[in-house]
Amino acid sequence: MRRLIPFLLPLLTLAQAPYQVMGEVRYRGYYPLGSWEGKNPTARGVVLWDGDKASGQVCLERKAWDSGNGERDKKAKEILKAEAFPQACPYPKRAYYQGARFLVEGDLEMAGRKLPVRLEGVPEGSPENGTFRGGFRTRFSEWGLERPRLLFLEVRDEVEVFLQAQVRR
């Protein structure tokens, strides 16, 4: 057993090594005549993954919201309370494979609230140097946020959130 310890220690260190995460978040919402989309390229953070336990955080600067329309972006930042709450941060608690899908469960802190979130996606490449593509759905009402309007049409309550991130050790 004593002879195995020098060989096992590097594996234990590797299992608990931090992952650097950098990526872009896209949002898609719907209204009766179509949809709108925005993106935020500021997702950055560090995540630890050990077995199915995870910890860390990946935050994004909410002022970096960009839909390609200045007036819409200004209104979106007001609705999202970006001035009062400049970051949105998911805090993972569990990360595990379920078949070919990879699930990350934890809490998302945004707009002064912290709610459970489950991000479902697909990893590409190796865990040490790969890409993660995934997403989840949420609702403006869950966060106590006003639903935006496009002209006279109110946007649906549900919003799709997509993440594409580079993961590096």
Side-chain angles (χ1 to χ4, degrees):
M1 181 67 172
R2 227 179 206 179
R3 290 183 180 166
L4 286 176
I5 290 176
F7 297 105
L8 294 176
L9 284 176
L11 292 175
L12 290 173
T13 304
L14 186 62
Q16 297 177 11
Y19 290 89
Q20 300 292 321
V21 179
M22 296 176 54
E24 178 176 275
V25 175
R26 289 184 304 109
Y27 312 86
R28 184 179 303 138
Y30 299 90
Y31 56 96
L33 299 177
S35 66
W36 55 269
E37 198 167 302
K39 63 182 176 181
N40 186 321
T42 65
R44 306 276 183 277
V46 175
V47 177
L48 293 169
W49 179 33
D50 185 14
D52 73 342
K53 293 183 177 149
S55 62
Q57 72 179 30
V58 178
C59 294
L60 56 91
E61 298 299 323
R62 298 178 69 219
K63 291 181 184 178
W65 160 271
D66 180 16
S67 70
N69 178 313
E71 281 301 310
R72 184 180 332 156
D73 294 347
K74 181 179 173 185
K75 182 64 177 170
K77 290 172 191 173
E78 288 173 18
I79 289 170
L80 295 172
K81 303 177 185 176
E83 192 70 38
F85 304 100
Q87 291 188 323
C89 302
Y91 297 92
K93 294 179 180 177
R94 291 185 67 209
Y96 57 96
Y97 282 96
Q98 190 174 64
R101 308 291 291 168
F102 191 72
L103 298 149
V104 180
E105 297 174 350
D107 294 320
L108 174 60
E109 187 171 14
M110 181 177 81
R113 293 189 178 183
K114 197 173 203 177
L115 299 172
V117 67
R118 180 179 165 155
L119 179 65
E120 186 175 328
V122 177
E124 299 171 357
S126 73
E128 290 78 23
N129 188 18
T131 301
F132 176 81
R133 298 176 203 279
F136 65 96
R137 293 173 189 254
T138 190
R139 297 180 178 281
F140 286 103
S141 59
E142 291 175 323
W143 300 96
L145 300 173
E146 164 193 346
R147 286 168 40 192
R149 293 185 177 278
L150 294 172
L151 300 172
F152 58 91
L153 302 172
E154 190 171 51
V155 171
R156 288 188 204 155
D157 194 23
E158 187 175 77
V159 177
E160 295 175 316
V161 181
F162 305 98
L163 169 67
Q164 179 174 325
Q166 300 298 312
V167 180
R168 305 279 183 264
R169 265 221 198 186

